[in-house]
Amino acid sequence: MLPSDTIYSFFLIAQMSTSVTANSLLFMIYIYTFLIQPQLKKPIDWIFMHLTMANILNIIFHSMPEIMSSFGVKRFLDNIGCQIFLYIYRVTRGLSICTTSLLSVFQAITISPSHSKWARLKFKLSTWIFPSFLFFWVINMLIYIQVIRVMGAKLNFTMVGQGYVNAYCQSKKMNMRYPGPFVSSMVIRDLLFMALMIMSSLYMVGLLYRHHRRAQHIHSSSLSSQTSPENRATHTILLLVFCFVVFYFLHNLLTLFVLYRTEKNTRLESISGFLSTCYPTLCPFFLMKNNKMISKLLCFLSNMKMTFSWRAFSG
């Protein structure tokens, strides 16, 4: 194995370990909040939990074959294995875009002014969360049934032709055109949820800008120096949306280039895979920034460190 392959292998392991650990920690904190401290729970936490769960599944089912391949493992996945891994990866990636869009719309309605036309929807928001999750799962599972039909294990390692290829899997028939309904359903889903995500984000930016201008006009130190929890949550969600949109477009552009390129390039496929895992890797760290339980945990660990250091110094 080349030194560059070794470095890439450990990079993949580090990325997957970091992402899974961070998302799992965040997921467990939400579980702890709901079970032990229910007075702290908020409806939006359900959306955060769903997003972290989708991130965990996405990063595992995408990265495991890449890691095995980088260490030179042959025939890690057979036909059924390829179909399972690719199906779960594609479904969870679809869940990611749907859940991030829901998160953006949810927060936009939450912070909308009382005189806004969206204000009447605030009291119904919590009742929409679980039906939305069910809709997301059903629609993505139906869309990607096509993956099971067209994908299989790679038969040889020098592929030429247009089609999907990764470390262990490939389109069963290279140069095969995907059915129109399959492609159309993916495009419509992505355009719809991206449009909702971007429009709600622009709406939130407008609200934050007007709030900032109003605070400056009043010249109140209490308003200008303190940021409300809602505003902090909104900044975090806007950062998530921006991160998602950037990596989404970069990944899709490169994926289309690789898909319709006659000669396959493993480096380009690796870069495309890396871009697809950036969002689920960064997402939990954005969410942790404003999580009170994380702040308390870090404070507790800091106090423990100071206590042990003092005891060691005294001893």
Side-chain angles (χ1 to χ4, degrees):
M1 190 164 59
L2 297 174
S4 59
D5 293 332
T6 304
I7 294 172
Y8 180 63
S9 302
F10 284 106
F11 173 78
L12 288 175
I13 293 172
Q15 185 193 37
M16 189 181 79
S17 302
T18 302
S19 177
V20 171
T21 301
N23 279 289
S24 299
L25 174 62
L26 201 56
F27 185 82
M28 294 305 297
I29 285 173
Y30 288 126
I31 293 291
Y32 173 84
T33 301
F34 277 94
L35 296 180
I36 309 300
Q37 294 185 317
Q39 71 277 8
L40 297 179
K41 69 180 181 182
K42 295 174 289 186
I44 199 171
D45 289 341
W46 288 112
I47 306 178
F48 290 143
M49 286 178 63
H50 191 257
L51 183 58
T52 54
M53 182 186 67
N55 287 341
I56 293 169
L57 293 174
N58 182 276
I59 198 79
I60 289 176
F61 281 90
H62 177 270
S63 297
M64 279 301 296
E66 293 290 330
I67 291 172
M68 293 295 127
S69 174
S70 66
F71 280 107
V73 178
K74 303 290 185 182
R75 311 297 179 189
F76 175 65
L77 297 175
D78 57 8
N79 279 330
I80 295 176
C82 279
Q83 292 163 357
I84 291 174
F85 268 72
L86 285 174
Y87 182 71
I88 295 176
Y89 163 65
R90 297 302 304 185
V91 168
T92 53
R93 190 167 183 271
L95 289 174
S96 184
I97 183 174
C98 295
T99 309
T100 305
S101 179
L102 174 64
L103 187 61
S104 182
V105 172
F106 188 98
Q107 187 64 15
I109 297 175
T110 299
I111 67 171
S112 61
S114 56
H115 57 79
S116 168
K117 61 182 178 181
W118 303 111
R120 70 173 75 96
L121 300 176
K122 290 185 181 182
F123 302 103
K124 300 178 182 179
L125 278 178
S126 58
T127 62
W128 294 350
I129 293 176
F130 289 104
S132 297
F133 291 164
L134 178 62
F135 173 71
F136 296 161
W137 278 93
V138 170
I139 193 173
N140 282 288
M141 290 176 73
L142 289 176
I143 287 174
Y144 290 112
I145 285 177
Q146 182 68 19
V147 170
I148 297 175
R149 191 178 73 85
V150 303
M151 300 306 299
K154 186 184 286 188
L155 301 178
N156 61 73
F157 289 83
T158 53
M159 299 302 304
V160 177
Q162 295 177 351
Y164 180 86
V165 177
N166 72 3
Y168 298 104
C169 310
Q170 68 178 54
S171 302
K172 288 181 179 178
K173 295 180 180 178
M174 300 301 287
N175 297 313
M176 179 188 72
R177 292 187 177 274
Y178 291 101
F182 172 60
V183 176
S184 299
S185 60
M186 284 196 300
V187 171
I188 292 172
R189 181 208 59 190
D190 286 6
L191 289 177
L192 173 63
F193 285 104
M194 288 295 289
L196 287 172
M197 195 186 304
I198 292 172
M199 286 190 296
S200 57
S201 298
L202 292 175
Y203 177 72
M204 287 190 284
V205 169
L207 289 178
L208 290 176
Y209 177 73
R210 288 196 294 271
H211 173 78
H212 179 69
R213 289 289 298 272
R214 192 161 54 247
Q216 283 186 328
H217 181 70
I218 295 173
H219 294 290
S220 171
S221 59
S222 61
L223 285 175
S224 60
S225 62
Q226 295 181 5
T227 306
S228 68
E230 290 79 11
N231 283 354
R232 287 197 298 270
T234 303
H235 284 117
T236 299
I237 292 170
L238 287 173
L239 187 60
L240 276 177
V241 170
F242 175 77
C243 178
F244 181 89
V245 170
V246 169
F247 287 119
Y248 171 85
F249 280 110
L250 289 175
H251 172 258
N252 278 10
L253 288 173
L254 189 56
T255 298
L256 287 173
F257 176 75
V258 171
L259 186 66
Y260 291 104
R261 195 169 185 264
T262 305
E263 294 182 4
K264 301 305 176 185
N265 187 313
T266 55
R267 294 299 179 189
L268 288 177
E269 293 165 15
S270 299
I271 295 172
S272 176
F274 167 74
L275 290 173
S276 72
T277 55
C278 284
Y279 177 72
T281 301
L282 296 175
C283 179
F285 296 101
F286 293 148
L287 297 179
M288 285 178 185
K289 188 174 65 171
N290 294 323
N291 190 289
K292 292 182 179 179
M293 293 298 295
I294 291 290
S295 301
K296 291 179 180 179
L297 178 62
L298 292 176
C299 183
F300 172 76
L301 293 175
S302 177
N303 291 335
M304 288 289 293
K305 181 180 178 181
M306 290 178 63
T307 302
F308 284 119
S309 299
W310 174 254
R311 288 179 179 177
F313 179 76
S314 300

